[in-house]
Amino acid sequence: MNASATGFALRRDRLLRAIRNPVLWQGAAGVATFFLVWQIAKAIGFLAVLPSPLDVARGVPQQMVQEGYWLSWVASGRRVFLGFFAAAVLAVTLGIAMGMSRKLRSGGFPILEILRPIPPLAWLPLAILFWPSPEMTMMFLTFLGAFFPIFINVLAGIDNIDARYIQAARSLGSSPRTLFWRVLVPGALPALFTGLSIAIGITWEVVIAAEMASGQHGLGYLTWNAYMGQSLVGIVVGMLSIGVAGMASSGVMSWIGKRAMPWRRGH
Amino acid sequence: MTDTTSTTTRGYTRLSGIGKVLSRAGRPEVILRDCSFDIKPGKLNVLIGPSGCGKSTLVNLIAGYAAPSIGTVTIDGAPVTGPGPDRMVVFQETALFPWMTLLDNVAYGPIQAGVAHGEAESHTRALLAKVGLAGFEQRYPDQVSGGMQRRAEVARALINLPRVLLLDEPFRGLDHMSRGLMQEYFLQLFEDEGMTTLFVTSEVDEAILLADRVIVLSYKPTAVKAVIDVDLPRPRTFQMQTLPEFAALKARTLQLLYEEAMKGFVKGTAASAELEQLVAAQGVVR
């Protein structure tokens, strides 16, 4: 009873502090300014093609109740998450393996360097032919988009661990196992999270483009569909939805990063 | 840690005929040539030399991070073949693991050596308290000052009861005030524990204040130029820096060092002229 009351007080304090934080209000003011400038530009006759923010705001409820809107979030989110997750697992494994073994690196790195500059969308024709369903095609593309930034950053993270940490660990009598888990892994973690947050951004870019090209459902498909149906408000709502989805993904990523690396709070 | 008699006879380190060639910008360079000296057990041995003379290379050889091109390093008769917990290094700047709390950093060595977690933790807490870090056990290195980081790092080394404690310019980068405080802390620690120590520095005042013996190195290829015994009484205090004996030791060391530092400059350059002036200003007899 008492403990939960204290817990409540703590949470309330934290909430109050967050609300009083000027950064929050500065951000909100920035967003408001953006829409205000847009509204004024529209009012004085610029941006004839675009709907005004007020039009969009009025259209939002209607867009959100339309069939398939929330399904689009789920569909895109699923493609992003599964592709990203598979990429993260493989890229971390390969990155660590090549970071530790010179032989593996000299064997595997050149072919990856040839594949890396190929944009994920350039794989689309081949992927459509290869994978049995459009769903798998799109996940394959998000996988490709996420793989390289994670892989490259993990490799760089291991390379750039300060030699003194490894020397100190060896002097302190580390077994290879503890050297790996307690020095190399945490040492490479900041670079891994840099890679992950770049990758999550790229997966959203890729999934939207792929959905516009070949999808069913999904926020990209929704936006394209609005264009085909000549719904200007629908296009803008689709775009803003993609923006919010991307921002939420980055937010989740940095939240996880902060929890995984408590020593970097305040950085 | 508490049994000082056992630490005072351990750690007799001999470097005999050490030569080291390193590749610098693709060209081989002789860093050390026929460099021999002893680290006496239970003594605070200070290594001093002109900057860039290979002091850190010597530390790496004793620590076992690198092998000499020629010559041998032995500790209590056993040749050094690689790094190990019998020689602990305190690095320039800090090499505490940023991702571990001070407690975990210091307890790392004992836990690797198989000491039970509870025992390692209580031992660590006691040692952290001894170096003035009680209450900071759960902080990460980035959350404490530079001086606290150095003390934690000395604790991380000492807890393993190394035969030799190697400190490579450990107080470099600290401001003047913190540096003075760290020297006092370290003196007290040494005078309590009596661990065999090699302390590398490029500061003459620091060398004489701390040392039982000052090993003066020559410019590259580096060898030992002189060994100066510092017979100032212990416990040492800051006030001793005003003693005439201190001044005489300082003048002697400076003279040896300047002769060597000169060789690092091309004769007749602006830098060398500046150094000549500095020597004159210090009142060193030429």
Side-chain angles (χ1 to χ4, degrees):
Chain A
M1 171 81 192
N2 202 1
S4 77
T6 328
F8 174 74
L10 265 176
R11 248 171 296 146
R12 192 194 51 200
D13 283 356
R14 208 176 301 158
L15 192 68
L16 278 175
R17 224 175 310 139
I19 290 171
R20 285 204 206 102
N21 188 353
V23 174
L24 182 78
W25 294 105
Q26 284 155 6
V31 172
T33 308
F34 173 81
F35 286 108
L36 190 68
V37 169
W38 177 1
Q39 185 72 40
I40 292 169
K42 180 77 186 168
I44 60 177
F46 290 115
L47 309 173
V49 179
L50 284 187
S52 77
L54 286 176
D55 295 338
V56 173
R58 257 180 249 121
V60 164
Q62 189 196 330
Q63 292 292 326
M64 286 194 341
V65 296
Q66 80 170 309
E67 196 192 348
Y69 178 78
W70 293 110
L71 209 60
S72 294
W73 275 79
V74 174
S76 293
R78 187 163 159 266
R79 289 162 192 156
V80 162
F81 177 76
L82 289 177
F84 176 85
F85 185 74
V89 170
L90 191 67
V92 168
T93 313
L94 269 181
I96 288 175
M98 288 195 195
M100 310 273 287
S101 154
R102 205 155 279 284
K103 260 187 215 160
L104 262 182
R105 182 186 301 207
S106 43
F109 198 62
I111 183 63
L112 288 171
E113 278 298 282
I114 293 171
L115 296 178
R116 187 159 70 101
I118 305 174
L121 286 175
W123 287 83
L124 186 60
L126 195 63
I128 290 173
L129 294 174
F130 182 82
W131 296 100
S133 74
E135 223 30 57
M136 292 179 95
T137 302
M138 283 185 283
M139 276 180 223
F140 176 66
L141 295 192
T142 55
F143 163 84
L144 283 174
F147 176 81
F148 288 103
I150 303 174
F151 171 73
I152 292 291
N153 275 286
V154 168
L155 206 55
I158 289 181
D159 282 352
N160 294 336
I161 293 173
D162 197 321
R164 289 174 313 162
Y165 298 145
I166 294 165
Q167 289 180 333
R170 288 171 67 202
S171 278
L172 290 163
S174 309
S175 63
R177 230 179 107 108
T178 35
L179 182 68
F180 178 78
W181 285 110
R182 303 219 47 205
V183 179
L184 291 180
V185 168
L189 223 46
L192 168 66
F193 273 93
T194 304
L196 291 177
S197 59
I198 295 171
I200 196 79
I202 293 179
T203 53
W204 276 105
E205 287 179 30
V206 170
V207 83
I208 297 305
E211 284 168 357
M212 286 188 173
S214 79
Q216 277 179 323
H217 302 300
L219 292 171
Y221 174 80
L222 185 85
T223 307
W224 189 253
N225 215 28
Y227 164 71
M228 298 302 271
Q230 300 193 328
S231 161
L232 282 170
V233 170
I235 292 175
V236 174
V237 169
M239 287 171 69
L240 289 176
S241 303
I242 295 163
V244 170
M247 186 177 86
S249 308
S250 305
V252 168
M253 205 53 68
S254 77
W255 185 85
I256 297 172
K258 273 193 192 128
R259 257 133 210 90
M261 302 179 290
W263 67 92
R264 282 170 70 86
R265 281 194 200 149
H267 272 243
Chain B
M1 192 71 36
T2 45
D3 185 6
T4 50
T5 50
S6 70
T7 54
T8 47
T9 54
R10 294 162 81 229
Y12 202 116
T13 305
R14 311 201 78 146
L15 286 83
S16 341
I18 298 289
K20 182 70 183 172
V21 183
L22 284 179
S23 170
R24 291 267 164 90
R27 243 187 267 160
E29 190 186 0
V30 182
I31 309 288
L32 306 168
R33 177 182 286 161
D34 198 20
C35 185
S36 305
F37 62 87
D38 291 352
I39 300 172
K40 296 263 168 77
K43 301 282 181 208
L44 211 165
N45 304 262
V46 168
L47 200 60
I48 194 167
S51 72
C53 81
K55 299 189 288 286
S56 294
T57 307
L58 278 167
V59 171
N60 285 340
L61 296 181
I62 301 167
Y65 300 142
S69 309
I70 188 171
T72 54
V73 182
T74 61
I75 294 177
D76 295 326
V80 166
T81 53
D86 58 335
R87 289 144 290 142
M88 280 293 146
V89 184
V90 175
F91 291 86
Q92 290 178 16
E93 310 297 330
T94 177
L96 290 171
F97 302 128
W99 47 85
M100 290 183 201
T101 60
L102 297 187
L103 183 77
D104 287 344
N105 262 291
V106 178
Y108 185 92
I111 287 171
Q112 290 309 303
V115 175
H117 281 250
E119 194 185 328
E121 184 179 328
S122 62
H123 200 163
T124 298
R125 285 183 186 279
L127 189 57
L128 281 173
K130 192 176 166 84
V131 296
L133 289 172
F136 292 93
E137 296 88 350
Q138 295 303 335
R139 299 279 191 97
Y140 289 101
D142 278 0
Q143 297 169 338
V144 300
S145 71
M148 289 172 153
Q149 290 175 1
R150 302 317 146 82
R151 278 181 269 151
E153 196 163 1
V154 171
R156 180 173 77 170
L158 273 184
I159 200 166
N160 301 289
L161 297 174
R163 287 172 190 273
V164 192
L165 180 64
L166 306 163
L167 301 104
D168 186 4
E169 303 200 39
F171 307 148
R172 185 173 168 163
L174 292 178
D175 61 87
H176 191 73
M177 189 71 194
S178 314
R179 192 171 186 137
L181 287 171
M182 285 304 296
Q183 288 164 353
E184 276 191 331
Y185 258 113
F186 189 71
L187 273 173
Q188 206 186 347
L189 199 64
F190 173 77
E191 282 154 9
D192 284 358
E193 308 289 340
M195 63 282 189
T196 306
T197 302
L198 182 72
F199 189 108
V200 177
T201 183
S202 48
E203 297 269 313
V204 179
D205 288 301
E206 184 169 82
I208 294 166
L209 179 67
L210 300 180
D212 294 308
R213 312 164 66 229
V214 178
I215 301 158
V216 183
L217 296 175
S218 68
Y219 191 70
K220 268 183 290 196
T222 303
V224 173
K225 184 161 173 90
V227 178
I228 298 171
D229 286 310
V230 179
D231 43 14
L232 297 169
R234 291 193 185 274
R236 299 273 170 86
T237 62
F238 252 78
Q239 289 71 35
M240 286 182 181
Q241 296 191 51
T242 58
L243 292 175
E245 298 94 302
F246 190 99
L249 284 164
K250 184 178 170 181
R252 201 173 138 207
T253 315
L254 269 177
Q255 166 120 31
L256 292 165
L257 276 176
Y258 277 131
E259 284 170 18
E260 289 309 315
M262 279 306 192
K263 296 180 189 166
F265 292 93
V266 182
K267 281 279 172 209
T269 61
S272 119
E274 199 182 311
L275 196 63
E276 299 259 12
Q277 277 174 2
L278 200 63
V279 172
Q282 287 281 346
V284 174
V285 193
R286 290 191 55 81

